[in-house]
């Protein structure tokens, strides 16, 4: 049985990906599939619950909304069978996704197929056995487009690391401000892109085509955003892990939000704290190698470039697929598809910028949402994308659930003549409140205070749900997406940069 499986595995060869022209059709199919699946699931659940009929104690009460519309409502808790069914379905789905992800990960790690899984741990270990590639060195690439205001703190966080990088290269992409001059004044190498029209991915492809050929297996590359600061110990931890495990292909960071921006900033900080908590519970298993800061082995990036146009989407020879709106999500799926071993350890943390206005937040999240859906459309349903499909379906179902919950509350408030306390819903609300506070405990008292109020965060969640719906609709109808760059206000940052004359690698 094992032999037959290995034979089938050897015979598999990388399949050629669909043409770029077919990409739009695939993306639209992904949007329609997710939207249709979510609506169908919600309709099926409603049908099943309704099919049971109401108990005598659940006899609905009739009321009026605005004195115009008659509505029926029940003042009883849901029937035990409904509660039991809901809990059972939730547990079954969560366990199913976790087991599926574990099984897929185990199969990738054990693969010996150099054609379909060239980055699988067993393949890498066999290829590097008995070979010493020297100490791990770090080259940092920072793509920047008019980042004069944010670059000083980014560079300072690199130079202050307990294990500073051996080289820093700022990739200046169509900069019209003082970014280039500021970096050179700080002693940092600058790579200026030429004729790039593909934003961040295109800029990184240009510099990687120059840098990668000269790197050894242990000369790792960190790619980080120009508006991000590393916490001390990030590079030391990453280098230690890469030194100890030669099969490890990438180390990702865990990000949290910068200070400021009032309540909108606190909403985002709470959201990032919960995300980091989820990542810790996954014990370092990577969901997305964040674009804020992640470290890669050259072999991993070369394998991705080699696979583009064959087993992976994109142009052959490019590390980044320039058609992807969320290049970090796409690169993560690419590495997983090739069997790469990755980790996001707790000690590798970064501070990232927050969106200062609701408008910029809308643009950022719409890009993230569209990018995630388009990546699923580009890869289709594969073992490596199952977890991401499940996430999108879960978000879609959450949109319907939260929207229905808030709508029913509003109808109840409008239909009742007097305030009524419902013990069941109060108890459920208390459990929900505890969950909200516990999951943001590391956000401090301001984060906990916002969480305990519940409704402000529910409104924020509904805002994100509208973004999700907009993204699905735009994708389904083939509407074009676009990048929007956040303009940072002028500050004294340039002066800080000029003061940093210490060369990379020699800073105390």
């Amino acid at each position: 049985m094992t032999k037959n499986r290995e034979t089938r595995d050897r015979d598999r060869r990388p399949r050629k990906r669909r043409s770029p022209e077919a990409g739009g059709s695939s993306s639209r199919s992904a949007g329609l599939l997710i939207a249709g699946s979510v609506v169908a699931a919600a309709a099926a659940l409603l049908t099943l619950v309704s099919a049971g009929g109401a108990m005598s104690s659940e006899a609905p009460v009739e009321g009026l909304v605005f004195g115009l519309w008659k509505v029926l409502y029940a003042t009883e808790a849901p029937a035990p069978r409904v509660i039991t069914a809901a809990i059972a379905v939730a547990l079954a789905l969560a366990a199913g996704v976790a087991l599926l992800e574990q099984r897929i990960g185990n199969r990738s790690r054990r693969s010996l197929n150099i054609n379909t899984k060239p980055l699988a741990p067993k393949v890498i270990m066999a290829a590097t056995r008995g070979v010493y590639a020297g100490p791990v060195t770090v080259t940092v690439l920072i793509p920047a487009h008019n980042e004069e205001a944010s670059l000083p703190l980014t560079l300072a966080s690199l130079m202050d690391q307990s294990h500073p990088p051996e080289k820093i290269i700022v990739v200046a992409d169509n900069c019209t401000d003082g970014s280039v001059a500021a970096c050179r004044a700080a002693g940092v190498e600058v790579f200026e892109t030429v004729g790039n029209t593909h934003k961040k991915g295109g800029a990184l492809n240009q510099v990687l085509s120059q840098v990668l050929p000269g790197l050894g297996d242990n000369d790792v590359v960190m790619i980080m955003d120009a508006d991000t600061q590393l916490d001390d110990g990030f590079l030391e931890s990453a280098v230690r892990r890469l030194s100890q495990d030669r099969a490890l292909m990438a180390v990702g960071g865990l990000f949290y939000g910068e200070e400021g921006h009032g309540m909108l900033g606190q909403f985002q900080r709470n959201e990032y704290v919960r995300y980091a908590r989820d990542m810790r519970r996954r014990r370092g298993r990577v969901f997305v190698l964040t674009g804020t800061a992640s470290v890669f082995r050259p072999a991993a990036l070369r394998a991705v470039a080699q696979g583009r146009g064959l087993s992976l989407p994109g142009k052959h020879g490019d590390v980044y697929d320039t058609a992807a709106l969320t290049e970090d999500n796409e690169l993560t799926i690419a590495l997983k598809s090739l069997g790469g071993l990755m980790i996001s350890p707790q000690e590798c943390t970064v501070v990232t910028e927050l969106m200062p206005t609701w408008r910029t937040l809308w643009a950022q999240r719409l890009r993230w949402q569209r990018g995630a859906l388009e990546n699923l459309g580009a890869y289709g349903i594969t073992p490596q994308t199952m977890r991401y499909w499940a996430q999108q379906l879960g978000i879609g179902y959450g949109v319907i659930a939260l929207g229905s919950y808030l709508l029913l509350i509003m109808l109840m408030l409008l239909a009742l003549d007097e305030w009524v306390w419902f013990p069941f819903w109060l108890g459920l609300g208390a459990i929900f409140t505890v969950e909200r506070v516990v999951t943001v405990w590391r956000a401090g008292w301001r984060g906990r205070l916002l969480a305990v109020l519940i409704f402000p965060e529910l409104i924020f969640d509904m805002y994100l749900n509208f973004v999700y719906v907009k993204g699905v609709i735009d994708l389904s109808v083939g509407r074009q997406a676009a990048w929007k760059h956040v303009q940072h206000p002028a500050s004294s940052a340039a002066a800080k940069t000029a003061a940093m004359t210490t060369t990379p690698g020699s800073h105390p």
Side-chain angles (χ1 to χ4, degrees):
M1 186 70 175
T2 303
K3 184 177 180 180
N4 291 338
R5 186 179 298 125
E6 290 178 350
T7 302
R8 291 197 302 271
D9 207 28
R10 282 199 305 272
D11 290 341
R12 290 175 187 145
R13 293 293 182 267
R15 56 192 174 91
K16 193 166 184 176
R17 304 297 302 189
R18 84 282 184 271
S19 65
E21 291 75 14
S25 176
S26 300
S27 299
R28 286 194 292 275
S29 299
L32 291 170
L33 178 60
I34 288 176
S37 299
V38 169
V39 172
L45 180 60
L46 179 62
T47 302
L48 288 172
V49 172
S50 302
M55 296 188 303
S56 58
S57 59
E58 293 178 329
V61 180
E62 187 175 294
L64 288 175
V65 178
F66 296 120
L68 298 175
W69 299 288
K70 289 184 179 180
V71 296
L72 299 177
Y73 61 92
T75 58
E76 302 290 335
R81 59 180 171 76
V82 175
I83 298 175
T84 304
I87 294 174
V89 170
L91 292 176
L93 289 176
V97 171
L99 290 174
L100 180 63
E101 186 177 23
Q102 185 179 30
R103 177 175 172 78
I104 292 168
N106 289 339
R107 289 191 64 180
S108 291
R109 282 192 286 272
R110 294 169 182 167
S111 175
L112 288 170
N113 192 318
I114 196 171
N115 294 312
T116 60
K117 296 288 185 290
L119 299 179
K122 281 197 170 184
V123 175
I124 296 295
M125 295 295 278
T128 59
R129 185 171 293 118
V131 178
Y132 178 60
V136 173
T137 68
V138 182
T139 296
V140 180
L141 304 180
I142 307 174
H145 173 68
N146 292 342
E147 302 285 358
E148 180 184 6
S150 57
L151 273 170
L153 292 177
T154 302
L155 297 176
S157 75
L158 281 168
M159 296 173 180
D160 287 339
Q161 288 285 300
S162 55
H163 182 113
E166 278 68 22
K167 180 184 288 188
I168 300 174
I169 303 175
V170 173
V171 187
D173 182 41
N174 299 312
C175 289
T176 56
D177 65 351
S179 297
V180 173
C183 291
R184 285 179 174 151
V188 174
E189 186 175 337
V190 177
F191 176 92
E192 295 188 68
T193 61
V194 178
N196 176 45
T197 58
H198 296 295
K199 308 295 182 184
K200 182 178 175 181
L204 287 170
N205 282 336
Q206 285 194 11
V207 69
L208 284 169
S209 68
Q210 302 292 317
V211 170
L212 275 181
L215 298 181
D217 287 344
N218 277 347
D219 300 327
V220 301
V221 177
M222 165 178 268
I223 297 172
M224 67 178 294
D225 286 344
D227 50 24
T228 297
Q229 296 98 52
L230 302 185
D231 284 339
D232 189 26
F234 185 114
L235 285 181
E236 183 179 1
S237 174
V239 168
R240 183 177 67 253
R241 287 180 177 270
L242 289 163
S243 300
Q244 294 172 344
D245 188 351
R246 65 179 191 274
L248 188 60
M249 289 290 104
V251 177
L254 298 177
F255 54 87
Y256 59 93
E258 63 184 353
E259 290 297 318
H261 308 305
M263 183 176 287
L264 180 59
Q266 193 60 54
F267 281 136
Q268 296 172 75
R269 281 190 289 277
N270 280 10
E271 183 186 17
Y272 291 169
V273 166
R274 289 193 176 99
Y275 177 78
R277 184 175 184 273
D278 289 343
M279 292 301 102
R280 287 194 298 274
R281 291 162 67 87
R282 288 170 58 86
R283 292 181 294 182
R285 283 179 297 162
V286 170
F287 188 69
V288 174
L289 287 169
T290 172
T292 53
S294 292
V295 184
F296 304 89
R297 283 196 193 273
L301 300 180
R302 292 187 189 114
V304 170
Q306 186 65 29
R308 294 284 183 206
L310 299 173
S311 61
L312 304 174
K315 179 183 174 184
H316 187 69
D318 282 351
V319 173
Y320 284 91
D321 179 9
T322 55
L325 279 172
T326 49
E327 74 292 332
D328 51 357
N329 173 265
E330 197 281 334
L331 185 59
T332 305
I333 299 176
L335 289 170
K336 285 187 174 182
S337 300
L338 298 177
L341 180 64
M342 300 169 279
I343 191 170
S344 293
Q346 295 184 35
E347 57 271 26
C348 292
T349 54
V350 302
V351 187
T352 190
E353 74 165 351
L354 300 177
M355 294 298 103
T357 66
W358 291 98
R359 183 184 293 273
T360 54
L361 179 67
W362 178 276
Q364 181 200 51
R365 299 309 172 89
L366 188 58
R367 182 173 68 83
W368 287 4
Q369 185 58 48
R370 280 289 304 267
L373 291 172
E374 288 181 0
N375 291 339
L376 291 180
Y379 280 85
I381 300 176
T382 70
Q384 287 71 32
T385 60
M386 290 297 289
R387 180 69 171 78
Y388 301 93
W389 282 101
Q391 183 205 33
Q392 289 299 322
L393 292 174
I395 295 174
Y397 194 78
V399 170
I400 294 177
L402 181 58
S404 302
Y405 171 72
L406 295 177
L407 176 63
L408 287 174
I409 285 182
M410 186 181 71
L411 289 175
M412 292 285 285
L413 291 175
L414 292 173
L416 289 172
D417 294 329
E418 59 182 7
W419 186 266
V420 179
W421 297 100
F422 300 101
F424 173 81
W425 294 111
L426 285 174
L428 204 61
I431 296 173
F432 185 62
T433 303
V434 171
E435 188 272 341
R436 302 298 287 182
V437 175
V438 168
T439 53
V440 296
W441 196 257
R442 296 195 177 201
W445 68 268
R446 286 179 294 182
R448 298 168 205 159
L449 178 61
L450 193 60
V452 80
L453 297 175
I454 295 185
F455 282 98
E457 285 201 316
L458 287 182
I459 294 172
F460 179 71
D461 289 343
M462 278 306 298
Y463 181 83
L464 298 183
N465 287 345
F466 284 127
V467 175
Y468 172 87
V469 173
K470 177 73 163 52
V472 172
I473 293 175
D474 285 354
L475 188 65
S476 300
V477 301
R479 197 169 293 157
Q480 191 69 29
W483 273 72
K484 290 188 178 179
H485 183 259
V486 176
Q487 297 294 332
H488 298 284
S491 68
S492 59
K496 295 178 184 177
T497 306
M500 291 189 302
T501 55
T502 309
T503 55
S506 61
H507 195 277

